[in-house]
Amino acid sequence: MKSNVVWMTNSQAQLSLLPPSYDDLVPENHPVRIVNSILDRIDIRSIENTYKGGGTSSYHPRDLLKILVYAYLRNLYSSRKIEQALGENVHFMWLSGCIRPDHNTISNFRSGRLKGKFKKIFNQVVILLAEQGYLSLKEIYVDGTKIEANANRYTFVWGKSVKTSRSRIEKQLKELWRYVETVYAEEEQRPNGPDNFEAIDPDQVSRTIDKIDRALKGKDIDKKVKQKLGYAKKNWPKNIAKYNRYEQQMGGRNSMSKTDPDATFMRMKEDHMLNGQLKPGYNLQAATNNQFIANYTLAQTTADTTTLIDHTEDFIKGYGKPPRALTADAGYGSEENYTYLHENDIDAFVKYNYFHKEQLDEKRGKQKRPFAADNLFYNNETDTYYCPMGQPMENIGSYLKKTATGYEQKINRYQAKNCAGCQLRSLCHRSKGNRIVERNHKLARLKAKAKQKLLDPEGIAHRKQRCWDVEAVFGNIKQNMNFKRFMLRGLDKVETEIGLIAMAHNLKKVSLVM
């Protein structure tokens, strides 16, 4: 005999004498309670001081901050979706105390009130978590990842293109003036030329065009020249002004986006078209410990090498002292970075280029290239290199080389005395004269020291931890939190947004540990 199915009843139509408390609907260890508890202990007077007295009442900045951080923890980044959640989600209602700021209020607070002030709040939270034992600020693991900007992928400006266009205008100005000289030569006259043809200042370009126009006034000139002069008068000065504005916005970068001038075109790992397409983005640098983000900065350069010093300085500014040890991948190994870390008493476990290749070659028993400059025998006392045939290569001078950041490197040059008739010459070098090698002795010493530290037991432990420490954080942000593209535009606003992501990541980690 078939049993009757018993259905559970609901109380949708039943009246309650007392409405249920939101507090009863939020579990004890729910992430929303952690956000509420920690942000209640943070000093936010820097934000409160931005409000003026008088007028209508305002939402308290602490409440708005809690709403934003919890929204980012729940992968809600749109201000309209956050507004919707405040009216539908019990956890948001409990956290906000049932206040319902609209999307404009939320957006203005995120992009306005928090701009330039969120980093200090983030640092306070990290210090609080460090005091509770969740992470340590003594040892950090640094790496970078690129995140796409909220900008049109096809409205780009290239620095090289701007220089080419400027040079083209200069060239055409000179051609126009040569035409003037040709016209006057036929009349056996000599015109007074412009002071210069540099296409730098729009007013100067305009004066040069006017001078050419006056010189040709009343003359029988070619129709095409007349059209070109009219086009130049109408367009070239404003084009030069545009190029000047672009160069100022790029500030030494090679590219920028017109819709977000602070964004630089970079190659992203998320390349769905598999064509190496450049996209506007920012280079996120993160320092982590125990998979908690201890510090974050945004760079506008594609290479990680030039970002390490600024990132470490930002860490010191935020916490008052440098970390005891710093571990980073080969993208950060440079003479400037090694020198900086040494001067600040930071134990550097930073790989250099070809570190992995060296280890792999040694593991495979692969022989070293005897003719490579790195493998030539060097006599430190006589400052002399010796080629594989035993011929001395004496120092013939040195020069200073500047990096992209302005750091000066000293390069020494060594030359063999006589390579003629050497049986190994074809294997050694292909230059016409005697072989010359260039060596940076300081960098060689720093690399040797770095290799020694990387191969000792502590270095091996740090190298192993770096992989699962910082790279796992980027994986969580991009995959679990689905944050692959910024919502805001401009470096200041984007820094606030990535700060919210970093704080949400840390507080979510706390909720998982508890």
Side-chain angles (χ1 to χ4, degrees):
M1 182 176 177
K2 185 178 179 181
S3 301
N4 292 329
V5 179
V6 180
W7 304 108
M8 296 186 70
T9 59
N10 67 62
S11 56
Q12 183 181 30
Q14 183 176 340
L15 294 176
S16 298
L17 180 62
L18 296 172
S21 168
Y22 287 130
D23 195 65
D24 296 336
L25 303 177
V26 180
E28 185 178 350
N29 291 329
H30 195 276
V32 72
R33 290 190 182 274
I34 294 169
V35 171
N36 184 68
S37 172
I38 289 179
L39 292 185
D40 270 341
R41 301 163 64 181
I42 300 303
D43 182 4
I44 62 165
R45 282 175 294 181
S46 59
I47 305 176
E48 293 175 357
N49 293 337
T50 63
Y51 288 82
K52 296 180 180 179
T56 186
S57 59
S58 302
Y59 292 108
H60 198 284
R62 193 181 301 276
D63 295 332
L64 295 175
L65 181 62
K66 290 178 183 179
I67 291 169
L68 270 174
V69 171
Y70 184 66
Y72 273 68
L73 190 148
R74 287 303 181 200
N75 300 3
L76 291 177
Y77 310 123
S78 164
S79 58
R80 291 182 182 273
K81 288 184 178 180
I82 297 173
E83 178 188 5
Q84 182 181 1
L86 286 167
E88 299 176 352
N89 189 300
V90 172
H91 300 144
F92 274 94
M93 293 177 183
W94 176 84
L95 180 66
S96 65
C98 288
I99 62 171
R100 294 186 62 180
D102 61 16
H103 63 273
N104 282 326
T105 302
I106 295 168
S107 179
N108 291 337
F109 180 76
R110 176 173 57 183
S111 61
R113 302 282 184 184
L114 289 182
K115 186 169 67 175
K117 297 177 178 61
F118 186 80
K119 192 60 179 287
K120 290 184 178 180
I121 295 172
F122 174 83
N123 290 338
Q124 289 183 63
V125 172
V126 170
I127 291 171
L128 187 62
L129 296 180
E131 290 173 349
Q132 295 176 355
Y134 289 105
L135 74 153
S136 170
L137 295 175
K138 294 180 180 179
E139 298 173 347
I140 61 173
Y141 301 86
V142 178
D143 204 351
T145 188
K146 297 173 180 65
I147 299 179
E148 189 175 350
N150 180 14
N152 192 314
R153 298 174 183 176
Y154 306 103
T155 58
F156 43 75
V157 177
W158 302 107
K160 191 176 290 185
S161 177
V162 169
K163 291 179 181 178
T164 302
S165 299
R166 190 190 295 280
S167 299
R168 189 184 299 117
I169 290 177
E170 291 179 3
K171 182 180 177 182
Q172 290 177 324
L173 283 172
K174 291 176 182 178
E175 289 175 352
L176 284 172
W177 184 251
R178 279 197 293 268
Y179 179 81
V180 171
E181 291 178 330
T182 303
V183 171
Y184 274 73
E186 292 175 356
E187 300 177 1
E188 298 182 353
Q189 296 179 7
R190 186 179 180 84
N192 293 324
D195 296 332
N196 63 70
F197 295 94
E198 290 185 356
I200 297 176
D201 181 69
D203 293 333
Q204 176 64 38
V205 171
S206 184
R207 287 193 297 269
T208 302
I209 295 171
D210 289 340
K211 195 161 191 175
I212 295 171
D213 191 35
R214 288 195 302 269
L216 293 175
K217 193 173 184 179
K219 305 290 183 181
D220 185 17
I221 62 174
D222 187 280
K223 185 179 179 181
K224 290 183 179 179
V225 174
K226 193 172 184 179
Q227 289 176 344
K228 188 173 185 179
L229 198 58
Y231 178 85
K233 188 182 294 186
K234 182 179 179 181
N235 295 286
W236 289 357
K238 67 180 183 182
N239 285 349
I240 292 299
K242 179 176 66 176
Y243 300 151
N244 290 347
R245 186 176 72 253
Y246 286 162
E247 287 181 336
Q248 184 180 8
Q249 289 174 327
M250 281 189 283
R253 290 178 289 149
N254 295 324
S255 63
M256 75 169 199
S257 169
K258 290 181 182 178
T259 46
D260 183 359
D262 288 340
T264 306
F265 277 78
M266 307 174 178
R267 296 195 189 279
M268 306 284 177
K269 288 185 178 179
E270 296 81 13
D271 183 12
H272 305 295
M273 299 296 290
L274 301 177
N275 59 359
Q277 181 186 17
L278 296 172
K279 298 176 184 176
Y282 294 91
N283 190 353
L284 167 63
Q285 297 294 309
T288 69
N289 182 278
N290 197 26
Q291 295 186 0
F292 284 84
I293 299 176
N295 193 46
Y296 65 88
T297 55
L298 283 177
Q300 296 171 281
T301 56
T302 56
D304 291 333
T305 312
T306 57
T307 65
L308 184 65
I309 293 177
D310 289 340
H311 184 76
T312 310
E313 283 291 318
D314 189 77
F315 183 97
I316 296 172
K317 180 182 177 182
Y319 302 111
K321 59 182 179 181
R324 183 188 66 81
L326 184 149
T327 307
D329 209 352
Y332 298 88
S334 71
E335 179 185 340
E336 184 177 8
N337 290 343
Y338 286 134
T339 303
Y340 170 82
L341 294 172
H342 174 72
E343 290 175 349
N344 285 272
D345 296 324
I346 301 173
D347 272 348
F349 300 93
V350 181
K351 300 174 188 174
Y352 50 85
N353 290 338
Y354 305 115
F355 173 79
H356 282 297
K357 188 177 184 304
E358 287 179 4
Q359 303 310 303
L360 194 61
D361 288 347
E362 290 179 9
K363 187 177 180 180
R364 293 175 176 175
K366 191 174 180 180
Q367 292 183 350
K368 294 182 178 180
R369 297 175 299 158
F371 301 100
D374 289 344
N375 297 325
L376 297 179
F377 176 76
Y378 176 68
N379 188 325
N380 189 42
E381 294 181 359
T382 60
D383 191 19
T384 307
Y385 276 92
Y386 290 87
C387 76
M389 289 294 289
Q391 182 181 174
M393 304 177 71
E394 296 180 350
N395 192 324
I396 59 172
S398 62
Y399 65 93
L400 294 177
K401 178 182 177 182
K402 279 192 175 183
T403 65
T405 59
Y407 181 80
E408 289 187 344
Q409 297 176 315
K410 185 180 179 181
I411 311 296
N412 289 282
R413 305 178 80 235
Y414 299 85
Q415 186 175 32
K417 289 184 177 180
N418 185 17
C419 293
C422 179
Q423 296 177 351
L424 300 177
R425 177 168 181 163
S426 61
L427 298 173
C428 185
H429 68 104
R430 296 182 181 180
S431 58
K432 293 182 179 179
N434 297 327
R435 183 181 182 184
I436 296 176
V437 296
E438 296 186 345
R439 304 294 295 145
N440 183 337
H441 290 301
K442 183 178 180 181
L443 180 57
R445 288 194 300 270
L446 291 170
K447 281 185 176 180
K449 184 178 179 182
K451 183 177 181 179
Q452 183 181 1
K453 291 181 70 66
L454 289 166
L455 294 178
D456 68 25
E458 186 181 3
I460 293 171
H462 281 300
R463 282 161 47 202
K464 287 181 178 178
Q465 183 170 344
R466 188 203 66 83
C467 299
W468 64 262
D469 203 300
V470 64
E471 292 180 12
V473 169
F474 293 147
N476 179 60
I477 289 173
K478 289 188 173 184
Q479 299 302 322
N480 298 337
M481 300 179 75
N482 197 29
F483 190 83
K484 300 177 182 178
R485 194 170 191 259
F486 287 105
M487 299 285 293
L488 307 180
R489 294 177 179 175
L491 184 60
D492 291 340
K493 295 179 182 179
V494 167
E495 281 182 341
T496 301
E497 191 171 12
I498 200 63
L500 288 166
I501 284 287
M503 186 179 288
H505 165 86
N506 286 348
L507 297 186
K508 183 183 288 187
K509 285 275 302 173
V510 173
S511 69
L512 294 174
V513 172
M514 290 182 67

